[in-house]
Amino acid sequence: MSDLIQSWLPSANTPEAEFPLNNLPYGVFSVDDGDLRCGVAIGDRIVDVTGLEAAGHLRADPDADVLDAPFWNDFMELGPDVWHAYRLALTAILAQDASEEVQDLITTFSVPMAQATLHMPFKVAEYTDFYAGRHHATNVGTMFRGAENALPPNWLHMPIGYNGRASSVVVSGTDIRRPWGQLKAPDADTPTFAPSRRFDIELELGAIVGTPSDGPLTVDQADANIFGYVLLNDWSARDIQAWEYQPLGPFQAKATATTISPWIVTAAALKPFRTATPPREVPLLPHLADTTPMNHDISLRVSLNGEDIAHTNANELYYSSAQQLAHHATAGSPMRTGDLLGTGTISGPERQNRGSLLELSWGGKEPLETQSGPRTFIEDGDTLALHGAAKGDGYQIGFGPCVGKVLPALDDPFQT
Amino acid sequence: MSDLIQSWLPSANTPEAEFPLNNLPYGVFSVDDGDLRCGVAIGDRIVDVTGLEAAGHLRADPDADVLDAPFWNDFMELGPDVWHAYRLALTAILAQDASEEVQDLITTFSVPMAQATLHMPFKVAEYTDFYAGRHHATNVGTMFRGAENALPPNWLHMPIGYNGRASSVVVSGTDIRRPWGQLKAPDADTPTFAPSRRFDIELELGAIVGTPSDGPLTVDQADANIFGYVLLNDWSARDIQAWEYQPLGPFQAKATATTISPWIVTAAALKPFRTATPPREVPLLPHLADTTPMNHDISLRVSLNGEDIAHTNANELYYSSAQQLAHHATAGSPMRTGDLLGTGTISGPERQNRGSLLELSWGGKEPLETQSGPRTFIEDGDTLALHGAAKGDGYQIGFGPCVGKVLPALDDPFQT
């Protein structure tokens, strides 16, 4: 018995559809050179919810045009009751038993996805990146500090993270320019200024804060404040990072770009895929302890120039996004609508489950054999893509791809 | 011969005035429960430039009310030519030879500073904190890693920095709540969750990006993009930091609050105080090298409950804010109007020149004798203030105080 919810739109009703009625992710689109509008993906179409709102239909707020903007932030600020009611309303008008009148209206206010350009679905207030994948932290720690000191002492007690750069977050499809930076070979006396030679990806999930807060949050409160999730590729210059990161952490190594997938997959759509975090070696302090399952069973893949090179699952995360957000608010920092929390690289136990080229090529020492040739790190012209889907019975919740092509470094970075 | 520019407002014409006509800093104020408005400080008054703009006077942009907002961001976005023209116009209407008609108009559109409440002068786009004071880095490094490894190897080659949390930046006068966090004593097996016991200040300057950019910047370009400066206190929980900062840098230790002084002192007002960075032990790579003097001769003081406990000078910074901004943009990150770049703690060579209690009490081992009793770190109820002034011939460029009172930690952080 399939759990697929049938729509009157046939393209939404196949087991392979990324955007069945069970999903209903939120994005921003344009057609030709038109305005940016908020849209909801269903099958092979995008419903123009900005247009519907302006025409008096599907109004999230009776008093304000919250979708009359090229981002979902104003909608997210309305809070969980509105999120829930809006999803119910969307489901009703797209379900199989919707009236012909409704179907005609939605057909008028929708466009084929193939004709649309997708944009950033929300304004990133601030961007934080965690380090919550145990296999990744262990792999990187083993390479940098040896197997015995692989995990830092704090790692099993709290989700380690750092603040990233919100202005560098871009939507899938944006080309990525290889950065210049300070590099120093271990045997060199002084650094040089050169294009990064060890440019890499990081396969992550990103959680988006919907409800703002001002003070410490319990894990349950944090979970309730998360609006949805995207795939996230935190482009990383490993050679810049190696030279700069002590003692204050990564900075320019992570400043070039972070790519997100174009559709916000809501926490509501992912609810059937909730699963526990992995077994804990040491108990967490009570303020971070697991309450109910808050990880997600989401299959994840990395492809290089169209060829799959790794696959893993979001259930590998040692800390859920809710635990990350709770930790983030511990010291009293206000959290805002549109805050983006990257999970950190999600690797699995085996070589083929690793979410970065650093791990896949073991620091460049064990090149990965691919159809594009042997790879240690990214080469100019490479296209890297992340894919993700939560797989249910007879349906899936897709994220849409998270893609970037890497362009050569500028000849002279100061002539831009 | 004094360099003070005479105003028709007598309170602006004394050598002790923080806000003579040479200064003209930009802030946001309200009176009673009225609207927040943009204001310019002169002597003991604030000129209501939002009101003037609405009345058709002193219009920065003929086509838009850029000051009809509780922040200066829209004005800053107009760029250096407008900044310059606006400063000239302000100078003309406040100078001694302004007509009586003009003086009457400005008197109408101004309020006594004593009656005003000051607010955040700009919307912080993103907040970055550097570590550009050599004495501070050396002191901290000596305490944590020993005198021989005090400066990290990268420190003399680039301004080390990390991204901070913009949502936690508050204006002078805001009370600061002592944070809870994970603490682990060196001899303990596991961490505990408790209020920070080593809560501290950091005496810094903050540079504000006026002109946005999208790609690498030369030091000269970066310098031209900086609109102005504020005093900045980066409240720091040393015990939270010690446990969390490896390997990704400070996070919750710096997330409680960062306080800034209420007036943006423009780069233009500070131009007569430009001075070189300290002598360099090793040359910088060309993209970061000094071109013209871009540090500032600004006297800085720290007071605890009204008693001066340290004094230093911004000319101690090893990297100018322009060099910090240039480094920040190296890897291609867009920089935006309203980005705030903290310099890092500015200490001088002697004990009385240290800009943090960590250094003043040498990690808590050498308590500081004060009129409020011996101090290692901040006690509940303490009021900490930073003061700054560039001292010219017969006048000074004051910043206004950067003050915060520390409140006790919450009894139960999850009942907020």
Side-chain angles (χ1 to χ4, degrees):
Chain A
M1 178 64 194
S2 166
D3 291 328
L4 176 79
I5 307 173
Q6 295 282 331
S7 168
W8 52 261
L9 195 74
S11 63
N13 293 338
T14 71
E16 297 76 30
E18 283 200 278
F19 309 114
L21 190 44
N22 308 57
N23 193 345
L24 297 178
Y26 299 147
V28 169
F29 74 101
S30 64
V31 176
D32 300 327
D33 292 328
D35 288 346
L36 275 61
R37 309 170 85 83
C38 292
V40 176
I42 178 79
D44 60 2
R45 296 187 74 83
I46 301 174
V47 180
D48 171 11
V49 290
T50 296
L52 280 169
E53 179 187 64
H57 307 289
L58 262 185
R59 294 189 63 83
D61 182 338
D63 302 322
D65 287 352
V66 292
L67 300 179
D68 184 20
F71 43 76
W72 282 83
N73 297 58
D74 295 343
F75 175 87
M76 291 195 283
E77 273 184 20
L78 296 176
D81 289 349
V82 172
W83 309 344
H84 180 67
Y86 195 77
R87 184 171 167 83
L88 284 183
L90 271 176
T91 304
I93 62 173
L94 291 164
Q96 203 163 29
D97 56 0
S99 71
E100 225 167 282
E101 194 188 359
V102 164
Q103 296 187 27
D104 287 348
L105 178 75
I106 300 304
T107 304
T108 307
F109 282 98
S110 69
V111 299
M113 196 174 290
Q115 288 175 17
T117 302
L118 298 176
H119 306 272
M120 280 289 294
F122 68 106
K123 270 194 302 187
V124 181
E126 297 193 60
Y127 166 49
T128 309
D129 198 24
F130 285 86
Y131 189 54
R134 182 162 183 177
H135 294 290
H136 171 72
T138 304
N139 287 337
V140 172
T142 301
M143 278 182 259
F144 288 4
R145 292 178 294 272
E148 272 143 54
N149 300 306
L151 275 190
N154 50 25
W155 200 94
L156 293 172
H157 297 281
M158 62 184 166
I160 296 297
Y162 65 99
N163 297 296
R165 180 79 196 169
S167 70
S168 69
V169 180
V170 298
V171 73
S172 177
T174 307
D175 289 340
I176 306 299
R177 179 71 67 181
R178 179 185 298 273
W180 285 66
Q182 281 201 20
L183 319 175
K184 196 183 85 64
D187 56 348
D189 286 336
T190 54
T192 56
F193 186 61
S196 169
R197 286 187 283 266
R198 292 162 72 92
F199 198 49
D200 198 0
I201 55 160
E202 295 202 328
L203 164 62
E204 307 190 16
L205 218 56
I208 300 157
V209 173
T211 307
S213 57
D214 189 10
L217 293 173
T218 65
V219 172
D220 285 333
Q221 287 168 337
D223 183 54
N225 287 0
I226 295 173
F227 178 71
Y229 295 85
V230 289
L231 304 178
L232 185 151
N233 179 359
D234 186 40
W235 302 92
S236 299
R238 304 296 180 189
D239 38 10
I240 296 174
Q241 187 172 351
W243 171 233
E244 77 174 357
Y245 91 107
Q246 290 285 10
L248 299 186
F251 185 51
Q252 289 309 290
K254 306 280 194 168
T256 301
T258 296
T259 302
I260 63 170
S261 53
W263 295 104
I264 304 174
V265 174
T266 62
L270 291 170
K271 209 161 185 191
F273 303 94
R274 292 207 153 207
T275 185
T277 47
R280 302 206 175 275
E281 195 168 317
V282 295
L284 293 177
L285 284 163
H287 70 292
L288 287 178
D290 298 279
T291 54
T292 58
M294 292 180 189
N295 255 356
H296 294 101
D297 176 2
I298 302 170
S299 299
L300 301 166
R301 284 187 294 124
V302 182
S303 69
L304 167 68
N305 301 325
E307 176 190 1
D308 282 359
I309 58 170
H311 59 92
T312 178
N313 193 298
N315 64 18
E316 296 282 1
L317 287 164
Y318 195 77
Y319 297 97
S320 65
S321 292
Q323 286 168 317
Q324 294 163 33
L325 175 55
H327 178 61
H328 207 323
T330 307
S333 173
M335 303 301 299
R336 299 187 290 198
T337 299
D339 280 339
L340 174 64
L341 277 62
T343 57
T345 308
I346 306 170
S347 294
E350 306 296 334
R351 180 174 182 184
Q352 66 271 22
N353 306 138
R354 296 174 186 163
S356 69
L357 288 167
L358 176 71
E359 294 165 88
L360 285 164
S361 74
W362 206 251
K365 291 180 191 158
E366 300 172 13
L368 193 68
E369 295 302 327
T370 77
Q371 290 162 15
S372 330
R375 277 294 180 291
T376 50
F377 294 95
I378 297 171
E379 299 193 359
D380 291 343
D382 279 350
T383 295
L384 278 300
L386 313 181
H387 310 269
K391 293 182 178 172
D393 195 353
Y395 77 103
Q396 61 177 349
I397 302 290
F399 281 75
C402 179
V403 186
K405 180 180 175 179
V406 174
L407 305 182
L410 297 167
D411 282 343
D412 175 350
F414 299 112
Q415 303 229 328
T416 53
Chain B
M1 177 65 192
S2 166
D3 290 329
L4 176 80
I5 307 173
Q6 296 282 331
S7 168
W8 52 262
L9 194 73
S11 63
N13 293 339
T14 70
E16 297 76 30
E18 284 201 276
F19 309 114
L21 190 44
N22 306 59
N23 194 344
L24 297 178
Y26 299 147
V28 169
F29 74 102
S30 62
V31 176
D32 301 327
D33 292 329
D35 288 347
L36 275 62
R37 309 170 84 82
C38 292
V40 176
I42 178 79
D44 59 3
R45 295 186 75 83
I46 301 174
V47 180
D48 171 10
V49 290
T50 296
L52 280 168
E53 180 188 65
H57 306 289
L58 261 185
R59 295 189 61 82
D61 183 337
D63 302 322
D65 287 352
V66 293
L67 300 179
D68 184 20
F71 43 76
W72 282 83
N73 296 59
D74 295 343
F75 175 88
M76 292 195 283
E77 274 185 19
L78 296 175
D81 290 348
V82 172
W83 309 345
H84 181 67
Y86 195 77
R87 184 170 167 83
L88 285 183
L90 271 175
T91 304
I93 61 171
L94 291 164
Q96 202 162 28
D97 58 359
S99 70
E100 226 166 281
E101 192 188 2
V102 164
Q103 296 187 28
D104 288 347
L105 178 75
I106 299 304
T107 304
T108 306
F109 282 100
S110 68
V111 299
M113 195 175 290
Q115 288 175 17
T117 303
L118 297 175
H119 305 273
M120 280 290 295
F122 68 105
K123 270 193 303 186
V124 181
E126 297 192 61
Y127 166 49
T128 310
D129 198 25
F130 286 86
Y131 189 54
R134 183 163 182 176
H135 294 289
H136 171 72
T138 304
N139 287 338
V140 173
T142 302
M143 279 182 259
F144 288 4
R145 291 179 294 271
E148 271 144 54
N149 300 307
L151 275 190
N154 49 25
W155 201 93
L156 294 171
H157 296 281
M158 61 183 167
I160 296 297
Y162 65 98
N163 298 296
R165 181 78 195 170
S167 70
S168 70
V169 180
V170 297
V171 73
S172 178
T174 307
D175 289 340
I176 307 299
R177 179 71 68 181
R178 180 185 298 271
W180 285 66
Q182 279 201 22
L183 320 174
K184 196 184 85 63
D187 56 348
D189 284 338
T190 54
T192 57
F193 186 60
S196 169
R197 287 187 282 264
R198 292 162 71 94
F199 198 48
D200 197 1
I201 55 160
E202 295 203 327
L203 164 61
E204 308 189 16
L205 218 56
I208 301 156
V209 173
T211 306
S213 57
D214 189 9
L217 293 172
T218 64
V219 172
D220 285 333
Q221 286 169 337
D223 183 55
N225 287 0
I226 294 173
F227 178 70
Y229 295 84
V230 288
L231 304 178
L232 185 151
N233 179 359
D234 186 41
W235 302 91
S236 299
R238 304 296 180 190
D239 38 10
I240 296 175
Q241 187 172 349
W243 171 233
E244 78 174 358
Y245 91 107
Q246 289 284 11
L248 298 186
F251 185 51
Q252 288 309 289
K254 306 279 195 169
T256 302
T258 296
T259 302
I260 63 170
S261 53
W263 296 105
I264 305 174
V265 174
T266 61
L270 291 170
K271 208 161 186 190
F273 302 93
R274 293 208 153 206
T275 184
T277 46
R280 301 206 175 274
E281 194 168 317
V282 295
L284 293 176
L285 284 164
H287 70 292
L288 287 178
D290 298 278
T291 54
T292 58
M294 292 180 190
N295 255 357
H296 295 101
D297 177 1
I298 302 170
S299 298
L300 301 167
R301 284 186 296 124
V302 182
S303 69
L304 167 69
N305 301 325
E307 175 190 2
D308 282 359
I309 58 170
H311 59 91
T312 178
N313 193 298
N315 65 17
E316 296 282 1
L317 288 165
Y318 195 75
Y319 297 97
S320 66
S321 292
Q323 286 168 318
Q324 294 165 33
L325 175 55
H327 178 61
H328 207 324
T330 308
S333 173
M335 303 302 299
R336 298 187 289 197
T337 299
D339 280 339
L340 173 64
L341 277 61
T343 56
T345 309
I346 306 170
S347 294
E350 306 297 334
R351 180 175 182 185
Q352 66 270 23
N353 307 138
R354 295 175 186 161
S356 69
L357 288 167
L358 176 71
E359 294 165 88
L360 285 164
S361 74
W362 206 251
K365 290 181 191 156
E366 302 171 11
L368 193 67
E369 295 303 327
T370 77
Q371 289 162 14
S372 331
R375 277 294 180 290
T376 51
F377 294 96
I378 297 171
E379 299 192 0
D380 290 344
D382 279 350
T383 295
L384 279 299
L386 313 181
H387 309 270
K391 294 182 178 172
D393 195 352
Y395 78 104
Q396 61 177 347
I397 302 291
F399 282 74
C402 179
V403 184
K405 180 179 176 180
V406 174
L407 306 182
L410 297 167
D411 282 343
D412 175 349
F414 299 112
Q415 302 229 328
T416 51

